[in-house]
Amino acid sequence: MHPGLWREVWILVGIAVTSLVLGAFTGRPFLIAALGFGLYIFLFLRHLQRLHHWLLNRQGGEIPDAEGLWGDVFNEIRKLMKQTGHREDQLTDMLGRFQSAASAMPDAMVILSQQGDIEWANPAARLLGIKYPRDAGMRLLNLLRDPDFAEYARRGEYTESIEVTSPDSRETHVSIQITPFGSSQKLVIGRDVTRLVRLEQMRRSFVANVSHELRTPLTVLGGYVETLRQMDQIGIEDLKKHLAIMHEQSLRMQRLVDDLLMLSKLETAPPRAHDETVDIAALLSGLKEQAELLSGEQRHAISLEADRSLKLLGSREELTSAFSNLINNAVRYTPAGGTIRLTWRASGRGTEFTVTDTGEGIAPEHFPYLTERFYRVDTARSRSSGGTGLGLSIVKHVLLRHDATLEIESDVGQGSTFRCLFPEQRIAHS
Ligand SMILES: Nc1ncnc2c1ncn2[C@@H]1O[C@H](COP(=O)(O)OP(=O)(O)OP(=O)(O)O)[C@@H](O)[C@H]1O
Ligand SMILES: [Mg+2]
């Protein structure tokens, strides 16, 4: 038997014995026994009442103290309370951590009831047009009104995800996946896949552009080969003319492939450290001679003004490619007899290379797109002059790899200035 219970039994036996002994003296054993047991019952009921009172007002205070069996009962309750409190704390702590993790998640998370009502959502659920707790209890399908999603939710086959545009912004693409869990609840997870969708669009348009650019010279080449094959006789002059055109088309394809390879190298190669000290003045005088050759009969007035003491830390090959692209553009898009000025000098904002021409100029609305691959202001003109639309894209990448920026100023009919601005840490003074 429990020691506390023994103690109670002994108290009762004590009361009985005391009543008998005192009763023998006083001749009133029953009265004394009634008093003794009455006191015992009174104390018993008082402890019970204290326990009852404490149970009713638990938050009110400490559990009462007592001796004996009641003391044991109170102690056990105290221990139990402590354990429950500890477990509650642990659960609250875990719940708190789960909620802050879910809140920090960039993916939208929504818990739906069996009926499809919103039970809980994290802050990123705004991707799906849901704001919690404002939308608690609402139907998800009422907030995310997309016919494809409605069909996906109705079908109930959730092995694959579905892509929709976000109700929050038409520009944002969200991939949604539903996962059933618990008895009949559902977890909806939405992920922003805008970047992936854009990359995919870029990849598609890139492949389409390359194919398109290659198709024209290939068609011309194929046509000439076919014509030559069908001819029984051909004069040497005609043959030379045909071959010259074929040569020109193959050169065009060669240029396109070279530019594409250059771009891919610039994009994939890790940025090189300040590997070479490039004598820009010498490099530019070589490029000026090439520009004069390209200008040929058009006789542009090409001038060069370069500070020989300013050397550039970078890649000679890449800089040559970027600067020659800018200079060739100036020659190609400036009418015969126009002026082209090349300068390399220190300015208040760093050191700059500028190409200024008196050519046809570019309207400002084209500026943001000029460095995009295959972008040309006048597609027909550029193509007829052998342009692929990759030149300025190469310039942008080379400058990026040299911590430099490109600035464009232009007036239609007046001319343009392309300025490459290099930061001080890229310059070596000699
Ligand atoms: N100096 C300039 N003056 C007028 N327009 C220019 C000038 N430089 C570039 N452009 C315009 O910007 C477009 C993009 O130039 P970019 O050098 O990227 O391509 P491209 O010259 O057409 O072809 P590529 O350089 O690849 O042979 C050109 O098609 C042209 O319309
Ligand atoms: Mg160009």
Side-chain angles (χ1 to χ4, degrees):
M1 204 164 24
H2 190 274
L5 209 57
W6 270 121
R7 190 173 175 274
E8 297 304 313
V9 172
W10 283 120
I11 291 172
L12 288 172
V13 171
I15 294 172
V17 171
T18 315
S19 312
L20 279 176
V21 173
L22 287 177
F25 285 112
T26 58
R28 297 244 172 110
F30 291 111
L31 179 70
I32 292 174
L35 279 172
F37 286 119
L39 185 66
Y40 179 83
I41 291 169
F42 170 75
L43 289 174
F44 190 93
L45 287 176
R46 219 174 89 82
H47 283 317
L48 198 63
Q49 184 265 330
R50 281 167 70 193
L51 178 62
H52 183 241
H53 179 78
W54 176 81
L55 281 173
L56 285 183
N57 315 281
R58 236 181 309 172
Q59 287 91 345
E62 265 287 294
I63 189 160
D65 268 327
E67 287 182 354
L69 190 61
W70 279 109
D72 289 349
V73 170
F74 290 160
N75 275 340
E76 286 307 315
I77 292 177
R78 196 172 288 129
K79 254 195 257 166
L80 220 66
M81 292 285 302
K82 246 193 201 150
Q83 278 171 3
T84 321
H86 186 58
R87 226 170 290 147
E88 251 175 41
D89 286 351
Q90 271 183 329
L91 273 174
T92 319
D93 195 40
M94 244 172 73
L95 198 68
R97 265 186 286 169
F98 168 76
Q99 282 202 335
S100 45
S103 300
M105 257 183 62
D107 293 346
M109 282 173 81
V110 184
I111 293 178
L112 297 183
S113 69
Q114 188 178 12
Q115 287 73 33
D117 300 337
I118 296 165
E119 286 189 346
W120 177 87
N122 70 348
R126 83 191 115 66
L127 271 178
L128 306 175
I130 295 164
K131 222 169 166 199
Y132 184 80
R134 184 196 67 186
D135 298 332
M138 299 268 280
R139 270 281 145 87
L140 176 63
L141 286 174
N142 287 345
L143 298 170
L144 188 63
R145 290 174 176 276
D146 183 285
D148 290 340
F149 178 70
E151 173 62 18
Y152 170 76
R154 194 195 54 76
R155 237 184 311 131
E157 277 172 31
Y158 305 130
T159 42
E160 305 247 314
S161 57
I162 182 168
E163 224 169 81
V164 300
T165 46
S166 164
D168 195 36
S169 139
R170 303 234 36 93
E171 281 6 356
T172 309
H173 296 263
V174 191
S175 162
I176 305 180
Q177 171 103 51
I178 297 181
T179 314
F181 80 103
S183 50
S184 51
Q185 285 164 301
K186 288 184 194 108
L187 177 65
V188 183
I189 296 184
R191 173 163 298 173
D192 186 343
V193 288
T194 315
R195 230 173 65 87
L196 281 176
V197 171
R198 289 236 174 94
L199 275 175
E200 180 56 21
Q201 279 166 354
M202 263 170 69
R203 192 189 63 79
R204 276 202 218 124
S205 79
F206 180 72
V207 172
N209 276 324
V210 173
S211 319
H212 182 74
E213 293 298 329
L214 281 173
R215 201 172 55 189
T216 317
L218 267 176
T219 312
V220 177
L221 262 177
Y224 275 95
V225 170
E226 193 54 35
T227 316
L228 286 175
R229 240 164 46 96
Q230 285 171 2
M231 285 171 103
D232 294 329
Q233 279 183 330
I234 183 166
I236 190 78
E237 282 310 311
D238 279 347
L239 184 62
K240 272 190 179 168
K241 228 164 50 191
H242 281 45
L243 285 176
I245 296 172
M246 289 163 77
H247 180 59
E248 191 190 305
Q249 295 302 322
S250 66
L251 278 182
R252 184 165 165 187
M253 286 198 286
Q254 172 88 49
R255 255 198 319 269
L256 176 67
V257 173
D258 285 349
D259 279 357
L260 283 172
L261 282 175
M262 179 75 186
L263 256 181
S264 123
K265 211 166 84 181
L266 288 171
E267 276 179 342
T268 50
R272 289 193 297 183
H274 304 176
D275 44 4
E276 288 173 79
T277 306
V278 188
D279 183 347
I280 298 293
L283 186 148
L284 286 177
S285 83
L287 291 181
K288 177 179 172 257
E289 277 172 28
Q290 282 180 22
E292 274 156 356
L293 273 177
L294 180 69
S295 170
E297 290 298 294
Q298 299 182 73
R299 300 192 176 283
H300 294 101
I302 307 177
S303 67
L304 169 64
E305 195 187 299
D307 187 336
R308 299 203 154 269
S309 68
L310 298 172
K311 309 267 160 54
L312 188 58
L313 303 172
S315 153
R316 179 190 305 275
E317 188 199 347
E318 292 177 12
L319 291 165
T320 307
S321 173
F323 292 176
S324 72
N325 262 305
L326 291 175
I327 298 171
N328 289 354
N329 276 352
V331 174
R332 291 217 322 252
Y333 302 110
T334 302
T339 308
I340 295 164
R341 256 185 72 209
L342 313 176
T343 64
W344 169 246
R345 61 176 175 218
S347 77
R349 296 187 296 148
T351 300
E352 57 182 43
F353 165 62
T354 56
V355 185
T356 306
D357 63 51
T358 54
E360 61 197 54
I362 309 163
E365 64 264 26
H366 297 289
F367 288 2
Y369 311 108
L370 284 178
T371 56
E372 275 181 16
R373 292 174 192 154
F374 298 110
Y375 188 84
R376 287 173 285 212
V377 174
D378 180 343
T379 313
R381 264 209 68 183
S382 160
R383 202 175 280 150
S384 68
S385 68
T388 56
L390 293 172
L392 289 179
S393 194
I394 292 175
V395 173
K396 178 180 88 174
H397 277 93
V398 170
L399 293 188
L400 247 167
R401 286 162 67 84
H402 287 80
D403 314 309
T405 48
L406 178 68
E407 290 176 358
I408 305 168
E409 286 164 25
S410 190
D411 282 317
V412 179
Q414 302 290 312
S416 323
T417 297
F418 284 77
R419 179 177 297 109
C420 309
L421 204 63
F422 293 88
E424 191 50 40
Q425 74 264 21
R426 282 278 178 181
I427 305 299
H429 298 264
S430 63

